[in-house]
Amino acid sequence: MSQQGYVAAPPYSQAQPGIGGYQGGFGSGPGQPLYGHYGGPPQAFTAPPTGMMKSPVSSAACMPPPPVSSQYNPNVQQNGAHPQSVYIFFFLFVEYSSIINLKLENIKITFNLQNLNTALNTITALVSKVCSNCHFGLFEHTGQFGGPIAGPQPCMPGAFPGAPAALAGPPQKKLDPDAIPSITQVIEDDRAQRGGQVFSTNLRGQVPPLVTTDFTAQDQGNASPRFIRCTTYSLPCTADLAKQCQVPLASIIKPFASLPKNETPLYVVNHGETGPIRCNRCKAYMCPYMQFIDGGRRYQCGFCNCVNEVPVFYFQHLDHMGRRMDFYERPELSLGSYEFIATMDYCKNNKPPNPPAYIFMIDVSYNNIKSGLVKLICDELKTLLEKLPREEGVESSVIKVGFVTYNKILHFYNVKSALAQPQMMVVSDTAEMFVPLLDGFLVNYQDSRAVIYNLLDQIPDMFADTNESETVFAPVIQAGVEAFKAAECSGKLFIFHSSMPTAEAPGKLKNRDDKKLVNTEKEKTLFQPQKGVYEQLSKDCVAQGCCVDLFLFPSQYVDMATMADVPSHTGGSVYKYNNFQVETDGEHFLRDLRKDVQKSIGFDAIMRVRTSTGFRATDFFGAIYMNNTTDIEMAAVDCDKAVTVEFKHDDTLNEETGAFMQCAVLYTTISGQRRLRIHNLSLNCSSQLSELYKSCETDSLINFFAKSAYRAILNQPLKNVKDILVNQTAHMLACYRKNCASPSAASQLILPDAMKVFPVYMNSLMKTAPLVGSTELSTDDRAHQRLSVMAMGVEDTQLLLYPRLIPLHNLDVSSEALPAPVRCSEERLADSGMFLLENGHSMFLWLGQASPPDLVQNIFNLPSLPALPELDNPVSKKVRSIISSLLEKRPNSMKLQIVRQRDKPEMLFRQFLVEDKGLHGGASYMDFLCYVHREIRQLLT
């Protein structure tokens, strides 16, 4: 197999013993379990002996490592046509120790040469002369490599174990970063190849376009990748193969994903009284994988192989191909995704559900009144309630609404349409929460509009003189659950809250933010919710179909891990606005609120994932609650929430038949109808590992790893979790190298084409706030990010871990297209440039010191930069339209922060340049790649 590759050399000595105590050769592996997964007890993971990570070069922190060289070959093919197209790095290892008695000057002279060929020849000759046993990979270097020779990156505290130290002597140039795989290039290539095309789902095990590519999905028997994405589309046939490669087998399911306007909405199938047809044995729903036999009178289930009778009303003759004559008329026979209308058996107490309700619960304590937040919310609700979600083609929403204000006590409002004025009812006994009125609390907005307007006008004035600063929190959620119980409906609570609940009441919290726990065995307690009241509340909410969305406006620690516990188990979201000010943060908050109220959503949902024989779903991550091992319960599930499901083998899979999965979600629609939403997907099975690696999807893999790691930090030290991540990365890549790549020198790093940017994402994940043990990061922010990621889909984790950095200084105002993003590294910034950075949660506009004055003038209309004004010129309009289009696409709103080069706030911006060294520790991409390569070599020796 001919493999053209990139050339780069790491600043490393010989390979070191691997992380996780894998001493022996790679293959069957050690006697202890292999860590594909964090579920096991912490002691199962063998930590490396102390000192194992240290480079043998020297114990001094920044001693010179071996010299380095790297160049980029412009003629290299990005993606060869070969099915196992790979990236190769030629790594030259020179043992730099007392055995080789070379003078440092000689080496330095060698590396200041302007020609790579000469440099390589010189080193080879020098080293060979001194030591014939020296361990390095030689390779043929054909063709000329222009450009300067690079040296290692300077040493920085908190870099990855074994990261290169700074060279003594004059500063060296860095390794050429263009010589290693680039995410922006991979995204660009996929767009060029598959952008704007139709992706038909008629083939089993087809790898879809990347989440960053615009395409049109056409359902022809498998669910669209908008609903389900997999870590690999070709499962290994046996558990042994799966164990050997350690690639997690998982699906990321977003059952209510939004579809673009040019894609067909899901068909709804109504079988009347009889309800959906299901297999008698495994209860799988009728789908394209059922095989009709016996002239159409029976069908064999594709999941459990049971043969079932076809009900009389459902009988249809088969054509000469053995296919039913009504194949194309029935969505459940020809499509991957569709809905069934559920019968009474699927409803609570065998009666149809009532339409859901939304309750707005506003904390009216001193801070919220004084900041103007309460007035802002009340003013916004007047227009927002007009836009409650409703079914297609229906004039107005049937969702009922209710209002509560609270501080230490709760105030309920009667807004019945017959009243001239709203009435307030006060509940001061928060220990025994009840709803003081049934009639008039939950109302139809259209009917009671005048009374509701009246109430929203009065609330800010009613509490204008309050001095109450203490609040309750758990009783507020309890009140919502009781209200839904009384009305016999499901629904959502929108809670606007600003401080830790310290008033005497159930769920009272005390400050447990202890920076001394960071980087200790007990750090995990910072992420664990306080038990008791909140645990029970989650159960009550899920049982009633009560979803909680929390809008937090803290000015200090509020114990996010506990306060966000109920939202994170009920399919809810948590939004956080630190040190909120109406002028600077108001618009940001209102954008979030509008999106949140209007998004499409299903209530009181239960999801079950069924699989064909040979493998099964074993683990689940998301904003979910599980009472048993199979039923995923969600008080609500909206268009942005995803559930990540891991699969394990329980038998051998068959290459002929492939593997099937079916996700069924039973839920209540916004109009109060009980429905079943079905998504089906078929995957290939193979006994060739190369097939598995070829069918991998890096973006899905990293979604799985982020969620597993974020769950693991609840009961393991951060160091263990990060060791496991690196260890598994090395294992996956070493297995590919050993079993799938052409033979080559040990010094080459070979990456599967589909996973060539996996190390960038993995390194970025390890530098995220939850996984960085730094006392400079707020405990609440770390807990918030941990919980947000648990419910994310593939697009959102992709963007979070590799932000988009878009140059705006040479905008083509006439072009519709967005400027192409550049790599997330400081090296891509230019003093005269202007860049927009976004990751789905933060957005920055960075201005270089030497930005052209006319550019700044065109955008800001003045030399200083308070905010982004609306100016009537093409550049300003174009920049604002780019920002608006990005905000439109993301589930969350982002507050635009404007930073100037070398101003203090720039530090905040720099932590998102994920290819560079982390501000709070963590290696650069280049160093991490070298480190992983060393681990791979260790596994292979």
Side-chain angles (χ1 to χ4, degrees):
M1 172 163 111
S2 75
Q3 292 168 333
Q4 292 182 308
Y6 281 88
V7 179
Y12 273 117
S13 58
Q14 278 173 291
Q16 297 313 306
I19 288 189
Y22 285 103
Q23 307 292 342
F26 181 75
S28 60
Q32 72 212 54
L34 296 171
Y35 293 89
H37 182 0
Y38 296 97
Q43 69 271 20
F45 178 77
T46 320
T50 42
M52 191 181 271
M53 305 288 198
K54 284 184 186 155
S55 160
V57 174
S58 160
S59 57
C62 280
M63 272 294 284
V68 181
S69 154
S70 128
Q71 285 311 321
Y72 168 57
N73 177 358
N75 308 318
V76 165
Q77 268 179 300
Q78 282 273 338
N79 291 318
H82 196 281
Q84 284 174 328
S85 133
V86 290
Y87 269 53
I88 307 176
F89 297 80
F90 295 97
F91 276 7
L92 178 65
F93 281 75
V94 182
E95 173 69 333
Y96 192 76
S97 68
S98 54
I99 310 169
I100 303 178
N101 188 16
L102 296 178
K103 286 187 182 170
L104 187 61
E105 301 87 87
N106 292 353
I107 294 236
K108 252 196 328 231
I109 293 164
T110 306
F111 276 90
N112 285 332
L113 292 170
Q114 287 303 301
N115 185 293
L116 181 64
N117 300 307
T118 325
L120 293 169
N121 292 333
T122 312
I123 293 172
T124 308
L126 270 170
V127 179
S128 307
K129 220 168 18 182
V130 183
C131 173
S132 55
N133 306 332
C134 190
H135 188 80
F136 56 63
L138 290 175
F139 56 94
E140 293 172 25
H141 45 283
T142 51
Q144 290 300 308
F145 296 80
I149 303 292
Q153 305 188 14
C155 182
M156 200 169 153
F160 216 74
L167 273 183
Q172 303 287 311
K173 285 185 180 162
K174 291 184 182 175
L175 273 167
D176 177 6
D178 284 326
I180 53 178
S182 146
I183 288 181
T184 49
Q185 189 59 55
V186 166
I187 289 173
E188 215 40 61
D189 291 348
D190 195 70
R191 279 197 180 135
Q193 235 174 355
R194 310 182 74 175
Q197 295 185 6
V198 172
F199 175 74
S200 293
T201 69
N202 53 344
L203 293 178
R204 186 176 82 195
Q206 244 188 133
V207 183
L210 295 181
V211 283
T212 41
T213 299
D214 282 324
F215 63 95
T216 302
Q218 192 176 51
D219 186 340
Q220 291 192 343
N222 283 300
S224 157
R226 303 197 199 288
F227 297 121
I228 308 183
R229 281 184 176 267
C230 298
T231 52
T232 177
Y233 288 82
S234 183
L235 301 180
C237 281
T238 64
D240 284 347
L241 274 179
K243 199 171 176 182
Q244 190 182 340
C245 69
Q246 286 208 29
V247 173
L249 311 177
S251 289
I252 297 88
I253 305 174
K254 215 189 214 186
F256 283 79
S258 304
L259 296 177
K261 295 207 169 20
N262 61 345
E263 290 182 16
T264 318
L266 266 53
Y267 286 97
V268 181
V269 180
N270 188 353
H271 285 324
E273 295 294 297
T274 53
I277 315 270
R278 319 174 60 172
C279 168
N280 293 329
R281 186 195 289 159
C282 71
K283 302 297 180 210
Y285 292 90
M286 179 53 67
C287 70
Y289 316 139
M290 304 298 190
Q291 193 67 46
F292 286 88
I293 51 176
D294 197 10
R297 284 184 288 279
R298 298 192 296 165
Y299 69 92
Q300 185 171 20
C301 173
F303 295 90
C304 69
N305 299 324
C306 169
V307 174
N308 298 269
E309 297 292 324
V310 172
V312 177
F313 86 92
Y314 201 69
F315 173 78
Q316 179 60 264
H317 292 287
L318 308 184
D319 65 13
H320 65 289
M321 307 268 291
R323 186 187 270 182
R324 283 174 58 120
M325 307 291 268
D326 58 356
F327 178 79
Y328 288 110
E329 290 152 39
R330 291 195 178 273
E332 72 273 25
L333 299 181
S334 53
L335 297 177
S337 300
Y338 42 85
E339 292 200 327
F340 289 116
I341 288 180
T343 53
M344 285 306 145
D345 333 350
Y346 291 92
C347 302
K348 277 186 186 161
N349 310 322
N350 277 9
K351 61 180 201 185
N354 290 317
Y358 283 1
I359 304 177
F360 297 89
M361 312 180 106
I362 305 170
D363 162 4
V364 288
S365 58
Y366 177 81
N367 280 352
N368 285 2
I369 293 289
K370 283 292 168 279
S371 70
L373 175 64
V374 173
K375 183 166 174 19
L376 185 72
I377 294 168
C378 291
D379 288 348
E380 177 63 30
L381 287 179
K382 290 180 203 165
T383 51
L384 192 49
L385 293 172
E386 295 281 355
K387 299 173 184 163
L388 291 171
R390 56 176 190 261
E391 294 287 352
E392 285 287 319
V394 177
E395 252 182 56
S396 63
S397 174
V398 294
I399 293 175
K400 292 208 157 82
V401 293
F403 303 88
V404 174
T405 54
Y406 67 94
N407 37 48
K408 263 204 314 207
I409 56 178
L410 279 75
H411 325 105
F412 294 79
Y413 297 93
N414 183 347
V415 284
K416 202 171 168 179
S417 57
L419 296 174
Q421 282 283 337
Q423 296 171 346
M424 179 200 275
M425 314 251 177
V426 177
V427 176
S428 49
D429 180 6
T430 50
E432 292 294 322
M433 187 40 66
F434 68 98
V435 179
L437 73 159
L438 292 182
D439 191 27
F441 176 59
L442 292 179
V443 298
N444 183 298
Y445 168 70
Q446 300 297 339
D447 300 343
S448 296
R449 185 187 292 156
V451 196
I452 291 172
Y453 264 49
N454 204 327
L455 171 67
L456 294 171
D457 281 336
Q458 289 181 36
I459 287 174
D461 300 334
M462 267 192 279
F463 298 98
D465 301 325
T466 186
N467 289 318
E468 188 55 75
S469 58
E470 284 199 320
T471 56
V472 296
F473 182 62
V476 179
I477 299 176
Q478 193 64 53
V481 176
E482 295 303 327
F484 291 148
K485 259 189 202 155
E488 296 185 348
C489 71
S490 51
K492 185 186 262 203
L493 309 180
F494 295 83
I495 304 180
F496 306 93
H497 190 93
S498 68
S499 57
M500 189 188 279
T502 51
E504 277 309 323
K508 174 185 175 178
L509 297 178
K510 50 183 191 293
N511 192 330
R512 58 189 186 119
D513 185 19
D514 185 355
K515 294 285 191 212
K516 290 201 286 294
L517 299 181
V518 174
N519 281 321
T520 70
E521 286 283 325
K522 289 188 177 161
E523 182 169 12
K524 57 191 174 213
T525 59
L526 297 174
F527 296 110
Q528 294 166 351
Q530 295 183 38
K531 294 278 189 249
V533 175
Y534 291 97
E535 208 170 13
Q536 186 55 46
L537 261 183
S538 292
K539 266 187 197 162
D540 296 348
C541 284
V542 172
Q544 189 51 49
C546 167
C547 168
V548 179
D549 275 356
L550 179 58
F551 293 81
L552 264 177
F553 306 86
S555 50
Q556 56 201 49
Y557 175 76
V558 291
D559 193 353
M560 174 63 86
T562 303
M563 291 193 72
D565 191 47
V566 179
S568 69
H569 280 101
T570 59
S573 306
V574 180
Y575 303 89
K576 184 161 174 277
Y577 312 90
N578 296 341
N579 304 311
F580 179 83
Q581 291 175 306
V582 169
E583 304 72 42
T584 52
D585 306 283
E587 195 43 47
H588 172 209
F589 153 61
L590 292 180
R591 275 198 305 261
D592 275 334
L593 177 59
R594 287 169 201 146
K595 273 195 172 167
D596 199 50
V597 169
Q598 293 171 48
K599 60 171 67 161
S600 56
I601 187 167
F603 289 95
D604 202 7
I606 294 188
M607 174 167 138
R608 174 77 70 92
V609 179
R610 293 180 172 84
T611 54
S612 51
T613 51
F615 76 121
R616 64 194 164 86
T618 55
D619 210 354
F620 307 88
F621 307 87
I624 57 175
Y625 180 81
M626 293 191 75
N627 223 353
N628 55 37
T629 54
T630 52
D631 292 323
I632 304 154
E633 297 183 64
M634 297 171 279
V637 53
D638 65 47
C639 55
D640 299 319
K641 299 289 184 295
V643 179
T644 296
V645 183
E646 187 180 13
F647 301 100
K648 291 272 162 73
H649 286 76
D650 46 19
D651 205 347
T652 303
L653 296 171
N654 186 323
E655 290 193 42
E656 294 290 299
T657 50
F660 303 131
M661 70 176 78
Q662 182 180 79
C663 160
V665 186
L666 173 65
Y667 75 102
T668 302
T669 66
I670 46 179
S671 62
Q673 189 180 51
R674 208 73 177 134
R675 283 194 196 168
L676 283 148
R677 179 170 281 221
I678 314 290
H679 297 297
N680 303 289
L681 190 64
S682 61
L683 301 174
N684 286 332
C685 299
S686 176
S687 49
Q688 302 298 316
L689 281 175
S690 55
E691 283 303 308
L692 172 135
Y693 281 101
K694 199 169 78 180
S695 307
C696 272
E697 190 180 84
T698 289
D699 296 339
S700 296
L701 275 170
I702 205 69
N703 176 285
F704 173 84
F705 277 114
K707 291 181 183 185
S708 328
Y710 281 7
R711 179 192 285 176
I713 60 178
L714 289 176
N715 36 41
Q716 294 193 47
L718 288 187
K719 185 185 177 307
N720 278 20
V721 175
K722 290 200 278 194
D723 284 354
I724 292 170
L725 288 174
V726 178
N727 187 261
Q728 200 168 345
T729 302
H731 252 91
M732 284 156 56
L733 298 175
C735 176
Y736 176 82
R737 165 74 190 253
K738 181 168 188 263
N739 298 292
C740 312
S742 314
S744 53
S747 55
Q748 296 174 1
L749 172 58
I750 300 182
L751 302 172
D753 191 54
M755 288 174 68
K756 60 180 170 247
V757 288
F758 183 73
V760 198
Y761 284 116
M762 185 56 89
N763 187 40
S764 180
L765 170 61
M766 296 205 295
K767 291 190 284 190
T768 55
L771 290 178
V772 171
S774 167
T775 49
E776 290 170 48
L777 297 169
S778 106
T779 304
D780 276 345
D781 285 347
R782 294 176 72 198
H784 184 214
Q785 185 174 338
R786 191 190 85 76
L787 290 167
S788 302
V789 167
M790 293 309 281
M792 278 185 186
V794 179
E795 307 86 313
D796 302 331
T797 46
Q798 187 280 326
L799 185 64
L800 184 74
L801 294 174
Y802 200 88
R804 287 170 85 171
L805 182 61
I806 302 168
L808 296 181
H809 40 275
N810 39 19
L811 264 184
D812 178 358
V813 288
S814 59
S815 164
E816 285 293 295
L818 262 176
V822 296
R823 295 175 76 146
C824 268
S825 165
E826 188 184 341
E827 294 192 343
R828 306 293 153 159
L829 302 175
D831 288 2
S832 59
M834 179 166 80
F835 293 82
L836 185 69
L837 182 142
E838 60 123 5
N839 72 347
H841 287 259
S842 305
M843 184 181 257
F844 295 89
L845 187 59
W846 181 91
L847 285 146
Q849 277 188 318
S851 302
D854 56 333
L855 183 67
V856 177
Q857 186 70 28
N858 273 336
I859 290 172
F860 296 98
N861 201 25
L862 66 169
S864 68
L865 331 162
L868 201 63
E870 294 192 20
L871 302 177
D872 190 12
N873 67 60
V875 179
S876 170
K877 284 178 182 167
K878 181 69 181 168
V879 169
R880 280 182 292 110
S881 89
I882 288 172
I883 291 171
S884 305
S885 73
L886 294 175
L887 288 173
E888 193 51 44
K889 278 183 193 162
R890 311 289 170 235
N892 291 21
S893 165
M894 293 173 277
K895 177 184 170 184
L896 179 66
Q897 300 173 67
I898 295 161
V899 294
R900 262 197 184 287
Q901 188 178 11
R902 300 203 175 88
D903 280 2
K904 204 175 174 190
E906 196 197 14
M907 291 305 277
L908 200 58
F909 162 80
R910 284 184 181 274
Q911 69 190 17
F912 295 103
L913 301 175
V914 294
E915 290 200 15
D916 302 339
K917 281 200 167 75
L919 289 186
H920 305 288
S924 70
Y925 169 29
M926 182 76 77
D927 292 350
F928 180 69
L929 205 53
C930 297
Y931 185 73
V932 166
H933 182 224
R934 203 172 72 185
E935 292 301 311
I936 293 169
R937 287 173 55 108
Q938 180 59 31
L939 289 168
L940 291 171
T941 48

